[in-house]
Amino acid sequence: MNLRMNYRAANPGAFKAMMAMEQHVSGQFEDKVLYELLKIRVSQINGCAFCMDMHAKDLMKLGNYGEHILLLSVWREVPIFTEKQRVMLEMAEVVTRISEHGVPLELYNKVREHYSETEIVNLIMAINLINSWNRIAITTGMYPGCFN
C-alpha cells in the first residue's frame, strides 16, 4: 500500500475546512457512540479502511463496544443495537446509497419517530461528512497508519 498523496500537506486549507465541519458536526452529537457507529457503518459501505480503523478505535475508547464493531455489518440480524441506533443505521445506509432509491418516505417517518428535525439535519450532515472523508481517503490511497 502506498499513499498517493498527503492531501493535508497538498492543500492545508481544504483540510482545515473539513476539520471545521467535523468539529461542528461532532459537537452536535451528545451520543458519541451513535456518532461513531454511523461513521463506521458508512465507512464499511464505502470500503474505507482508514476511516473504519480510526472510528473503531474511537468507539473502543468510549467503552467495550467490540461486539458492536464486529456485528455492525449485520446489524439487522442481531439484538445488541437499540431501536434508535437501528433507525440511524438504516438512514446512514440509504443516504450513502442515495442514488439507488432516494430516501423512502417510510424511512423518513421512522426516523422522525426517534429524532427531532434538528437531530435529523445533524444525522444528514454526519452521513455526508463521513462520505466526504471516505472519498478523500480512498482517492488519495490512505490506509491505517499511513500518517504515523
Short mmCIF file of all heavy atoms in Angstrom, two decimals, residues 18-44:
data_model
loop_
_atom_site.label_atom_id
_atom_site.label_comp_id
_atom_site.label_asym_id
_atom_site.label_seq_id
_atom_site.Cartn_x
_atom_site.Cartn_y
_atom_site.Cartn_z
N MET A 18 -12.49 21.02 6.22
CA MET A 18 -13.12 19.74 6.59
C MET A 18 -13.08 19.54 8.10
O MET A 18 -14.06 19.07 8.70
CB MET A 18 -12.40 18.57 5.89
CG MET A 18 -12.70 18.45 4.41
SD MET A 18 -14.39 17.96 4.04
CE MET A 18 -14.39 16.27 4.64
N MET A 19 -11.98 19.90 8.74
CA MET A 19 -11.89 19.75 10.19
C MET A 19 -12.85 20.68 10.92
O MET A 19 -13.42 20.32 11.94
CB MET A 19 -10.45 19.98 10.67
CG MET A 19 -9.51 18.83 10.32
SD MET A 19 -10.07 17.21 10.93
CE MET A 19 -10.05 17.48 12.70
N ALA A 20 -13.05 21.87 10.38
CA ALA A 20 -14.02 22.80 10.99
C ALA A 20 -15.42 22.21 10.92
O ALA A 20 -16.18 22.25 11.90
CB ALA A 20 -13.96 24.15 10.29
N MET A 21 -15.76 21.63 9.79
CA MET A 21 -17.07 20.99 9.65
C MET A 21 -17.16 19.79 10.59
O MET A 21 -18.19 19.59 11.24
CB MET A 21 -17.30 20.56 8.21
CG MET A 21 -18.64 19.88 8.02
SD MET A 21 -20.03 20.98 8.38
CE MET A 21 -20.57 21.33 6.75
N GLU A 22 -16.10 19.02 10.69
CA GLU A 22 -16.06 17.86 11.59
C GLU A 22 -16.30 18.30 13.03
O GLU A 22 -17.09 17.68 13.76
CB GLU A 22 -14.72 17.13 11.47
CG GLU A 22 -14.58 15.93 12.39
CD GLU A 22 -15.51 14.79 12.03
OE1 GLU A 22 -15.68 14.50 10.84
OE2 GLU A 22 -16.09 14.18 12.97
N GLN A 23 -15.63 19.34 13.45
CA GLN A 23 -15.80 19.82 14.82
C GLN A 23 -17.23 20.29 15.06
O GLN A 23 -17.81 20.02 16.11
CB GLN A 23 -14.79 20.93 15.13
CG GLN A 23 -13.38 20.40 15.24
CD GLN A 23 -12.33 21.50 15.34
OE1 GLN A 23 -12.61 22.66 15.14
NE2 GLN A 23 -11.10 21.10 15.66
N HIS A 24 -17.80 20.98 14.09
CA HIS A 24 -19.18 21.44 14.25
C HIS A 24 -20.14 20.25 14.35
O HIS A 24 -20.96 20.18 15.27
CB HIS A 24 -19.60 22.34 13.09
CG HIS A 24 -21.05 22.66 13.12
ND1 HIS A 24 -21.61 23.56 14.00
CD2 HIS A 24 -22.09 22.15 12.39
CE1 HIS A 24 -22.91 23.60 13.82
NE2 HIS A 24 -23.23 22.76 12.85
N VAL A 25 -20.05 19.34 13.40
CA VAL A 25 -20.99 18.21 13.35
C VAL A 25 -20.82 17.32 14.57
O VAL A 25 -21.81 16.96 15.22
CB VAL A 25 -20.83 17.41 12.03
CG1 VAL A 25 -21.64 16.13 12.07
CG2 VAL A 25 -21.25 18.27 10.84
N SER A 26 -19.60 16.97 14.92
CA SER A 26 -19.39 16.08 16.08
C SER A 26 -19.89 16.72 17.36
O SER A 26 -20.40 16.03 18.25
CB SER A 26 -17.93 15.66 16.21
OG SER A 26 -17.12 16.77 16.53
N GLY A 27 -19.81 18.04 17.44
CA GLY A 27 -20.27 18.74 18.62
C GLY A 27 -21.79 18.73 18.78
O GLY A 27 -22.31 19.03 19.86
N GLN A 28 -22.50 18.37 17.73
CA GLN A 28 -23.96 18.30 17.78
C GLN A 28 -24.47 17.00 18.38
O GLN A 28 -25.65 16.88 18.71
CB GLN A 28 -24.55 18.47 16.37
CG GLN A 28 -24.14 19.74 15.67
CD GLN A 28 -24.45 20.99 16.47
OE1 GLN A 28 -25.59 21.21 16.86
NE2 GLN A 28 -23.44 21.79 16.75
N PHE A 29 -23.60 16.02 18.53
CA PHE A 29 -23.99 14.69 19.00
C PHE A 29 -23.66 14.50 20.47
O PHE A 29 -22.49 14.41 20.83
CB PHE A 29 -23.30 13.60 18.17
CG PHE A 29 -23.92 13.38 16.83
CD1 PHE A 29 -23.66 14.25 15.77
CD2 PHE A 29 -24.78 12.31 16.62
CE1 PHE A 29 -24.24 14.07 14.53
CE2 PHE A 29 -25.37 12.12 15.38
CZ PHE A 29 -25.10 13.00 14.33
N GLU A 30 -24.68 14.42 21.29
CA GLU A 30 -24.47 14.06 22.70
C GLU A 30 -24.10 12.60 22.81
O GLU A 30 -23.29 12.22 23.65
CB GLU A 30 -25.74 14.33 23.51
CG GLU A 30 -26.04 15.79 23.70
CD GLU A 30 -27.32 16.02 24.49
OE1 GLU A 30 -27.67 15.17 25.34
OE2 GLU A 30 -27.96 17.06 24.27
N ASP A 31 -24.68 11.77 21.95
CA ASP A 31 -24.45 10.33 21.96
C ASP A 31 -23.28 10.02 21.04
O ASP A 31 -23.43 9.82 19.83
CB ASP A 31 -25.71 9.59 21.51
CG ASP A 31 -25.60 8.08 21.61
OD1 ASP A 31 -24.47 7.56 21.74
OD2 ASP A 31 -26.65 7.42 21.55
N LYS A 32 -22.08 9.99 21.61
CA LYS A 32 -20.86 9.77 20.82
C LYS A 32 -20.79 8.34 20.26
O LYS A 32 -20.21 8.12 19.21
CB LYS A 32 -19.61 10.07 21.64
CG LYS A 32 -19.54 11.52 22.13
CD LYS A 32 -19.57 12.51 21.00
CE LYS A 32 -19.44 13.94 21.53
NZ LYS A 32 -19.70 14.95 20.51
N VAL A 33 -21.40 7.39 20.96
CA VAL A 33 -21.44 6.01 20.47
C VAL A 33 -22.22 5.96 19.16
O VAL A 33 -21.77 5.36 18.17
CB VAL A 33 -22.05 5.05 21.52
CG1 VAL A 33 -22.30 3.67 20.93
CG2 VAL A 33 -21.15 4.96 22.74
N LEU A 34 -23.36 6.61 19.13
CA LEU A 34 -24.17 6.67 17.92
C LEU A 34 -23.38 7.28 16.77
O LEU A 34 -23.38 6.76 15.65
CB LEU A 34 -25.44 7.50 18.20
CG LEU A 34 -26.45 7.53 17.07
CD1 LEU A 34 -27.38 6.33 17.18
CD2 LEU A 34 -27.25 8.82 17.12
N TYR A 35 -22.66 8.36 17.06
CA TYR A 35 -21.87 9.05 16.04
C TYR A 35 -20.78 8.14 15.48
O TYR A 35 -20.58 8.07 14.26
CB TYR A 35 -21.27 10.32 16.65
CG TYR A 35 -20.64 11.26 15.67
CD1 TYR A 35 -21.35 11.78 14.60
CD2 TYR A 35 -19.32 11.66 15.82
CE1 TYR A 35 -20.77 12.66 13.70
CE2 TYR A 35 -18.73 12.55 14.93
CZ TYR A 35 -19.46 13.04 13.88
OH TYR A 35 -18.89 13.91 12.98
N GLU A 36 -20.09 7.42 16.34
CA GLU A 36 -19.03 6.53 15.86
C GLU A 36 -19.61 5.33 15.09
O GLU A 36 -19.04 4.89 14.09
CB GLU A 36 -18.14 6.06 17.01
CG GLU A 36 -17.35 7.18 17.67
CD GLU A 36 -16.44 7.96 16.73
OE1 GLU A 36 -15.98 7.41 15.71
OE2 GLU A 36 -16.18 9.14 17.03
N LEU A 37 -20.73 4.80 15.53
CA LEU A 37 -21.38 3.70 14.79
C LEU A 37 -21.74 4.16 13.39
O LEU A 37 -21.53 3.42 12.41
CB LEU A 37 -22.62 3.20 15.53
CG LEU A 37 -22.38 2.40 16.80
CD1 LEU A 37 -23.71 2.18 17.54
CD2 LEU A 37 -21.70 1.07 16.51
N LEU A 38 -22.27 5.36 13.28
CA LEU A 38 -22.61 5.93 11.98
C LEU A 38 -21.37 5.98 11.09
O LEU A 38 -21.40 5.54 9.93
CB LEU A 38 -23.19 7.33 12.18
CG LEU A 38 -23.65 8.11 10.96
CD1 LEU A 38 -24.75 9.09 11.36
CD2 LEU A 38 -22.53 8.86 10.28
N LYS A 39 -20.28 6.50 11.62
CA LYS A 39 -19.06 6.65 10.83
C LYS A 39 -18.49 5.29 10.39
O LYS A 39 -18.03 5.14 9.26
CB LYS A 39 -18.01 7.40 11.63
CG LYS A 39 -18.33 8.86 11.82
CD LYS A 39 -17.25 9.48 12.69
CE LYS A 39 -17.30 10.96 12.64
NZ LYS A 39 -16.10 11.55 13.23
N ILE A 40 -18.54 4.33 11.29
CA ILE A 40 -18.01 3.01 10.94
C ILE A 40 -18.87 2.36 9.86
O ILE A 40 -18.36 1.81 8.89
CB ILE A 40 -17.91 2.10 12.18
CG1 ILE A 40 -16.93 2.68 13.20
CG2 ILE A 40 -17.48 0.68 11.78
CD1 ILE A 40 -17.02 2.03 14.58
N ARG A 41 -20.20 2.42 10.03
CA ARG A 41 -21.09 1.76 9.06
C ARG A 41 -20.94 2.37 7.67
O ARG A 41 -20.84 1.64 6.67
CB ARG A 41 -22.55 1.81 9.53
CG ARG A 41 -23.49 1.08 8.59
CD ARG A 41 -23.17 -0.42 8.55
NE ARG A 41 -23.89 -1.08 7.48
CZ ARG A 41 -23.32 -1.84 6.54
NH1 ARG A 41 -22.02 -2.09 6.56
NH2 ARG A 41 -24.05 -2.39 5.60
N VAL A 42 -20.92 3.67 7.58
CA VAL A 42 -20.76 4.31 6.27
C VAL A 42 -19.40 3.95 5.68
O VAL A 42 -19.29 3.64 4.49
CB VAL A 42 -20.96 5.84 6.37
CG1 VAL A 42 -20.56 6.54 5.07
CG2 VAL A 42 -22.40 6.17 6.74
N SER A 43 -18.38 3.93 6.51
CA SER A 43 -17.04 3.57 6.03
C SER A 43 -16.98 2.12 5.57
O SER A 43 -16.26 1.80 4.61
CB SER A 43 -16.01 3.83 7.13
OG SER A 43 -15.98 5.20 7.46
N GLN A 44 -17.73 1.23 6.21
CA GLN A 44 -17.83 -0.16 5.73
C GLN A 44 -18.43 -0.20 4.34
O GLN A 44 -17.92 -0.89 3.45
CB GLN A 44 -18.70 -1.00 6.68
CG GLN A 44 -18.07 -1.35 7.99
CD GLN A 44 -19.04 -2.10 8.90
OE1 GLN A 44 -20.27 -1.94 8.81
NE2 GLN A 44 -18.49 -2.90 9.79
#
